[in-house]
Amino acid sequence: MPVTEWYTIRGVTLPTSWVSALIAFTLTGFILWWRYSRKKASVYADHAIFFILIWKFSVIVTDLSLVIKQPLIILFFNGGT
């Protein structure tokens, strides 16, 4: 799905897909904390952070030569096509 809209928040420009994912992670964590317990919300937060880290660093495994040439590509990796 191509990104058609971008949001600028202070000095950061984010695609709409990132904004919606951030809202979804935050809202789900808040609902778990409110409805169940802090422990379940903490486990969910840990899993959400691991998901993001694995997604961002998977480019090292899939395309190491590109990461060696351009190390900052890890920050801007969008998951590929």
Side-chain angles (χ1 to χ4, degrees), residues 52-62 74 77:
I52 292 169
L53 288 175
I54 289 170
W55 171 47
K56 293 302 264 183
F57 287 114
S58 67
V59 71
I60 294 172
V61 175
T62 59
I74 293 172
F77 180 63

Side-chain angles (χ1 to χ4, degrees), residues 59-70:
V59 71
I60 294 172
V61 175
T62 59
D63 202 357
L64 183 61
S65 63
L66 186 62
V67 173
I68 291 172
K69 290 177 189 173
Q70 301 172 349

Side-chain angles (χ1 to χ4, degrees), residues 40-53:
K40 289 189 183 200
S42 176
V43 170
Y44 169 76
D46 291 343
H47 283 88
I49 290 170
F50 284 140
F51 171 76
I52 292 169
L53 288 175

Side-chain angles (χ1 to χ4, degrees), residues 4-74:
T4 57
E5 299 256 347
W6 294 81
Y7 292 118
T8 302
I9 302 170
R10 295 195 180 220
V12 179
T13 302
L14 301 170
T16 53
S17 58
W18 288 15
V19 173
S20 62
L22 183 62
I23 291 170
F25 284 143
T26 304
L27 187 61
T28 303
F30 178 72
I31 290 171
L32 284 173
W33 173 78
W34 176 64
R35 182 79 170 115
Y36 297 105
S37 67
R38 288 183 184 212
K39 183 171 175 135
K40 289 189 183 200
S42 176
V43 170
Y44 169 76
D46 291 343
H47 283 88
I49 290 170
F50 284 140
F51 171 76
I52 292 169
L53 288 175
I54 289 170
W55 171 47
K56 293 302 264 183
F57 287 114
S58 67
V59 71
I60 294 172
V61 175
T62 59
D63 202 357
L64 183 61
S65 63
L66 186 62
V67 173
I68 291 172
K69 290 177 189 173
Q70 301 172 349
L72 289 179
I73 199 162
I74 293 172

